[in-house]
Amino acid sequence: MTLDVVTLMTMSSLAVVLCGVSFILNTSFTRNDATGRMWSLGFIGGIIVAAGYGVEALVAGAWWGLLVGNVAYTAAIGALWCGARLHNHRSSLLWIVGVVAVVVAAATILQTPAAGTWAGAPVLWLGLVALSVLGGIELQRGRLRRNVNGRSLGTVLWIVAFFMLARTAVFLVSGPESRAFTSYFNPGIAAVITMALIISAAITVSVLRAERGGDSAVGDISVGILSRAGVLSAESFVQTAEDHLERAEAAAVGMALIGADVDRLPEVNTAFGRAAGDAAISAFAETLRTTVPVMAAIGHPSAGRFFVLVPVTNATEALAVAERIQVALVDAPLPDTQKIRLTASLGVAGTVDLGYSLEALTAAVADSIDMAKAAGGNHIELSTGS
């Protein structure tokens, strides 16, 4: 059986809609966090792509459908990248996607209706190449680097980038009517690539969120400005930390960000039950509250991970705070299960080396925590910014 271009594009659109609706509903009713919302935005973009291109194909003179589809396609791929950044505890940089979308929109408008279906196509494809490469890189770093699902989606994005780059080159050199283009880069083949990307993305991001939720006993569910563990929630901590860093920079006061991640939290849940996991996170938060300096800001960005922003004069003082946390954890077993003693992988980054950007400090701490975990846990890594 031979599938024509229209059938392939219809199947691609159906896959986009089904995967998108499933993921969006799952995000709405389960883990509605910033990462999930960003990836949901990507699937919404995919649904709009299907609608826009469908209108352009079926309604004579509906050039605006092509414009909507091109812009939404950019937003869909860009949201995958931005969501990966958020998953790695980095800023989304959504404004970059906005800039690319504006450029794609301008190119489409300027070439419509003379170029017909191909209006703005080369600019769109090059934009998708750039965003796919950024997404592929992000899925190979931070916490996603150790996840086979993240690496798999990164591979798919690299394939999409290569296909779009080759498609652009053939289009510009030979034109859309050439044999090379119609044989290897026609809309039907592009639809197959799109289906592979959407299905891979839907499976991967769903698994990533499930894995993230699987070890989130207390998690980062907010109660007012606090997480359920009794310290600042993710959003509250970001606002507080940015304010403290801004004032510290103006006053030339040194600050350090200390990240702590509970070691083997999934194993605790498996061996002793979810209640023990809840107790571990709550005990960890309480240990931080009683150990770090009184005026330090303590945040709970996710599951068993905590951040502490504390004023220090040098790296030695920051390490001393981290060591106090490490010792306090070992000395305080969980009250209901005396055999469990918590340990943590800790990362430390200071403004002396990295400046007063919360994004830079957070990224450095996340990398340091990964190194501490790779060393076996219960270990402190200091980031020097080199």
Side-chain angles (χ1 to χ4, degrees), residues 10-20 195 198-199:
T10 302
M11 292 172 60
S12 175
S13 299
L14 183 61
V16 170
V17 173
L18 291 177
C19 292
M195 276 194 291
I198 292 299
I199 294 173

Side-chain angles (χ1 to χ4, degrees), residues 280-306:
I281 295 174
S282 297
F284 196 174
E286 185 60 28
T287 299
L288 289 175
R289 293 181 69 248
T290 57
T291 303
V292 303
V294 174
M295 299 308 293
I298 307 173
H300 188 188
S302 63
R305 178 162 295 193
F306 293 82

Side-chain angles (χ1 to χ4, degrees), residues 65-379:
L66 183 65
L67 172 63
V68 171
N70 285 354
V71 172
Y73 203 164
T74 304
I77 301 298
L80 283 178
W81 168 54
C82 294
R85 288 183 60 87
L86 291 173
H87 193 83
N88 280 335
H89 299 299
R90 287 148 56 82
S91 64
S92 68
L93 295 185
L94 186 59
W95 65 270
I96 294 179
V97 180
V99 171
V100 176
V102 169
V103 173
V104 169
T108 304
I109 293 172
L110 290 175
Q111 294 183 20
T112 304
T117 302
W118 304 112
V123 176
L124 167 66
W125 298 338
L126 289 175
L128 296 180
V129 168
L131 294 173
S132 297
V133 168
L134 289 172
I137 293 173
E138 190 63 37
L139 287 160
Q140 303 294 330
R141 61 181 298 169
R143 62 191 302 186
L144 288 170
R145 179 180 57 195
R146 299 179 180 279
N147 191 299
V148 66
N149 297 291
R151 294 197 300 272
S152 298
L153 180 56
T155 300
V156 174
L157 284 175
W158 281 109
I159 293 173
V160 170
F162 177 79
F163 175 81
M164 290 298 178
L165 184 60
R167 195 182 194 198
T168 305
V170 173
F171 181 91
L172 294 176
V173 173
S174 304
E177 303 300 328
S178 67
R179 183 174 180 180
F181 190 87
T182 56
S183 297
Y184 302 107
F185 302 102
N186 63 67
I189 295 177
V192 172
I193 296 292
T194 300
M195 276 194 291
L197 172 61
I198 292 299
I199 294 173
S200 298
I203 294 173
T204 299
V205 298
S206 296
V207 171
L208 286 173
R209 292 179 66 251
E211 288 177 350
R212 188 179 176 189
D215 62 357
S216 59
V218 172
D220 58 352
I221 300 174
S222 299
V223 180
I225 66 170
L226 301 179
S227 80
R228 280 173 53 189
V231 296
L232 292 173
S233 65
E235 293 183 0
S236 298
F237 177 76
V238 168
Q239 295 174 1
T240 301
E242 288 179 341
D243 175 67
H244 285 192
L245 288 168
E246 181 180 348
R247 289 188 289 147
E249 184 176 17
V253 174
M255 303 288 286
L257 183 67
I258 301 171
D261 200 278
V262 180
D263 291 328
R264 294 173 291 279
L265 183 59
E267 287 84 346
V268 171
N269 287 332
T270 300
F272 299 97
R274 180 54 60 89
D278 289 345
I281 295 174
S282 297
F284 196 174
E286 185 60 28
T287 299
L288 289 175
R289 293 181 69 248
T290 57
T291 303
V292 303
V294 174
M295 299 308 293
I298 307 173
H300 188 188
S302 63
R305 178 162 295 193
F306 293 82
F307 285 148
V308 178
L309 183 67
V310 58
V312 295
T313 56
N314 51 49
T316 301
E317 187 175 345
L319 280 173
V321 175
E323 288 169 354
R324 286 203 301 273
I325 295 172
Q326 188 179 41
V327 171
L329 286 173
V330 174
D331 289 344
L334 299 186
D336 296 330
T337 50
Q338 295 294 323
K339 294 181 179 180
I340 302 178
R341 292 182 182 272
L342 296 177
T343 63
S345 299
L346 295 101
V348 182
T351 56
V352 174
D353 298 311
L354 295 166
Y356 290 84
S357 166
L358 180 60
E359 177 185 352
L361 291 171
T362 301
V365 165
D367 289 341
S368 295
I369 290 175
D370 287 342
M371 288 188 287
K373 284 188 172 296
N378 194 27
H379 182 67

Side-chain angles (χ1 to χ4, degrees), residues 28-91:
S28 299
F29 291 110
T30 55
R31 191 180 179 86
N32 185 16
D33 57 3
T35 303
R37 290 193 295 271
M38 183 61 69
W39 279 332
S40 294
L41 175 63
F43 284 107
I44 291 172
I47 294 171
I48 295 174
V49 171
Y53 288 165
V55 169
E56 191 274 335
L58 298 175
V59 181
W63 62 268
W64 54 268
L66 183 65
L67 172 63
V68 171
N70 285 354
V71 172
Y73 203 164
T74 304
I77 301 298
L80 283 178
W81 168 54
C82 294
R85 288 183 60 87
L86 291 173
H87 193 83
N88 280 335
H89 299 299
R90 287 148 56 82
S91 64

